[in-house]
Amino acid sequence: MSAALLLLRREMALSWNGGGGPLLACGFLLSLAVIVPLGAGPRLDQLASLAPGLVWLALSLASLLTLERLFERDFEDGTLDLLALGPLPDEGVVVLKALAHWLTIGLPLAAMTLPVGISLGLTPAQLPLLALTAAVGALAFSVTGALGAALAIGARKGGLLIAVIVLPLFLPPVIFGAGALVAQADGRSPGPALALLCACALVAVVIGVLAGAAGLRGSRT
Amino acid sequence: MDIESGSQNDGAGMIRLTLEGVAVRRGERRLFEDLNLSVRPGEAVALTGANGAGKSSLLRAIAGLLTPEAGRMRFDDNGQDLDLEVARTRHLHLIGHQDGFRSGRTARDELAFQVGWCGGGPGGIDEAVRALGLEGLMDLEVRRLSAGQRRRLALARLLAAPRSVWLLDEPLSPLDARWRAEVGQLMQAHLAGGGIILAAVHDPLPIPARTCEIGGTA
């Protein structure tokens, strides 16, 4: 237990003061929020109808951006060797690293989707649902991302490989997350989409942790 | 977890390491095969051999970080076989070329993490810091340390989180004469407590050690 807390605290500290942390990801998200309305031209009503999908696109890309170094630094500097000789199984290491990623990067990004949503034309009434779905979606992105990063350990062009592995797996949360917002905008209940989003996140946790641990073991042979 | 000082409080009494017919392959090349080695409690073995002979790979294979092509490894505690996983995660330290320190963090933070992860307590850290002469360096970022200081920081883990089996990959190479001698004494104390040491070296160890030559051709 104390070893788990120790690792979580270290991961969170590294995420905050190692380069490429939450600020960079949030900056990327915000710049997308500026570029898209400028590029889409003056037809704000059109933009607003696309807003749910665009917010989720921005969130998934910003999450993706932060994944490359999740395991690679640890692989290069020998930390993974040390972790393998400690008390937690590989699954535990993956869970904690993904959890730290969600807490330090996923949640700030989810909060940052609110100004992005507004700039893309979502109504204030939609913001609470956006915040909720983005937080759940970011969790799915963090564990899926940990899976991709673990499988890409040691690969040249790891960042690209991670994107190819992970982006298809990002699809279900994007579909149901944006779907919940669309349903709400159309006056339907967002409940079913929200439930499916949570289900996707749970499946992502299970698969991400198991496959991520297999990736860690694979990096050792 | 155990905090007391001394070499032998990792829960195991006397661990013996036995390798039977071990072969290790890296890519296309078989580094060595049919390696048999038994290390008794209180014994040190110096692994020698040319560059690339497979000394580091052998240490990593013993630590479970690399799967050997063939052969068997056993850790036993007074004749009782230990589960490999348990032996590796509780009773074994590997100090390799990559020490796992993040260069932007302070020596104190990094050592505290490594020691805590390996089951050591804060009391042991102070003692280890003193034994390795790191007192004035603990608030520096790891990147500010010299190679020798950084190695001493890595070796501090051995003392602060006591485990029986020390696998050391060229532990002394960046150290100056004074610290080679000091670390030699720490090794001696570890052996006296019933621990075992396997060290890949090019220069002779400053302690009595059996030599095991790895690999024929480089």
Side-chain angles (χ1 to χ4, degrees):
Chain A
M1 186 59 208
S2 65
L5 274 179
L6 217 58
L7 179 60
L8 185 66
R9 271 184 24 212
R10 173 181 149 100
E11 288 300 323
M12 292 179 67
L14 284 174
S15 176
W16 273 109
N17 45 33
L23 290 178
L24 215 60
C26 289
F28 178 76
L29 192 66
L30 284 179
S31 23
L32 280 182
V34 173
I35 291 173
V36 171
L38 290 177
R43 316 218 13 209
L44 281 178
D45 51 329
Q46 252 181 14
L47 187 63
S49 67
L50 290 176
L54 290 174
V55 173
W56 275 84
L57 177 71
L59 178 64
S60 59
L61 288 183
S63 304
L64 183 66
L65 199 68
T66 59
L67 292 172
E68 183 174 2
R69 307 304 279 169
L70 197 56
F71 288 103
E72 198 59 24
R73 285 277 295 268
D74 292 335
F75 174 68
E76 286 165 2
D77 73 8
T79 305
L80 283 188
D81 295 347
L82 179 77
L83 293 181
L85 299 179
L88 291 190
D90 295 318
E91 286 80 3
V93 171
V94 175
V95 167
L96 290 168
K97 286 186 82 88
L99 183 62
H101 185 268
W102 182 57
L103 291 173
T104 54
I105 295 179
L107 287 181
L109 279 179
M112 206 50 68
T113 56
L114 300 180
V116 173
I118 290 172
S119 84
L120 294 177
L122 288 184
T123 58
Q126 288 180 287
L127 295 185
L129 184 64
L130 173 61
L132 177 65
T133 53
V136 176
L139 175 64
F141 293 162
S142 288
V143 283
T144 312
L147 178 166
L151 291 179
I153 288 173
R156 268 180 295 166
K157 310 256 180 197
L160 216 53
L161 180 58
I162 293 172
V164 172
I165 296 172
V166 154
L167 276 180
L169 300 174
F170 278 6
L171 270 180
V174 169
I175 291 170
F176 297 118
L181 290 172
V182 170
Q184 190 190 41
D186 293 351
R188 286 176 287 128
S189 161
L194 191 58
L196 283 168
L197 172 66
C198 293
C200 288
L202 286 177
V203 170
V205 168
V206 174
I207 292 178
V209 168
L210 294 179
L216 283 192
R217 278 189 288 274
S219 76
R220 255 178 244 147
T221 51
Chain B
M1 298 265 161
D2 300 316
I3 305 176
E4 307 146 42
S5 61
S7 304
Q8 285 308 299
N9 56 1
D10 57 354
M14 303 278 175
I15 290 190
R16 171 206 290 267
L17 168 66
T18 312
L19 309 182
E20 290 164 6
V22 172
V24 168
R25 174 186 287 278
R26 299 306 281 152
E28 297 294 293
R29 217 157 63 88
R30 180 178 289 142
L31 296 174
F32 54 83
E33 59 187 333
D34 200 25
L35 180 80
N36 297 292
L37 180 64
S38 173
V39 193
R40 291 186 310 276
E43 193 177 25
V45 172
L47 303 172
T48 60
N51 293 137
K55 303 184 293 292
S56 303
S57 296
L58 174 60
L59 293 179
R60 292 180 63 79
I62 295 171
L65 301 174
L66 185 160
T67 315
E69 190 186 14
R72 230 161 73 85
M73 299 184 188
R74 272 174 38 219
F75 295 85
D76 64 87
D77 181 4
N78 281 328
Q80 203 165 17
D81 269 10
L82 292 171
D83 180 62
L84 271 181
E85 191 67 23
V86 170
R88 284 165 177 160
T89 55
R90 291 210 201 129
H91 304 304
L92 177 152
H93 273 305
L94 170 68
I95 305 282
H97 293 295
Q98 295 157 311
D99 50 28
F101 294 128
R102 211 42 79 82
S103 53
R105 302 229 304 160
T106 64
R108 187 179 307 285
D109 286 348
E110 285 298 274
L111 183 61
F113 169 71
Q114 292 200 347
V115 169
W117 182 253
C118 294
I125 295 183
D126 293 340
E127 212 166 301
V129 164
R130 243 173 288 128
L132 286 156
L134 296 163
E135 294 98 333
L137 307 171
M138 295 304 284
D139 290 316
L140 295 179
E141 289 180 359
V142 174
R143 71 161 65 94
R144 308 238 174 272
L145 302 181
S146 75
Q149 291 169 336
R150 193 168 166 148
R151 176 56 54 90
R152 269 148 57 200
L153 184 65
L155 293 172
R157 183 170 98 223
L158 298 174
L159 306 182
R163 293 180 168 195
S164 299
V165 180
W166 289 5
L167 306 179
L168 310 174
D169 199 350
E170 298 191 40
L172 304 177
S173 51
L175 300 182
D176 61 27
R178 178 196 156 201
W179 282 106
R180 285 183 185 210
E182 298 264 359
V183 170
Q185 290 190 354
L186 296 172
M187 289 178 174
Q188 194 74 64
H190 178 63
L191 296 177
I196 68 180
I197 298 178
L198 252 84
V201 290
H202 290 292
D203 303 320
L205 283 173
I207 52 171
R210 194 145 56 91
T211 300
C212 172
E213 169 103 23
I214 303 290
T217 52

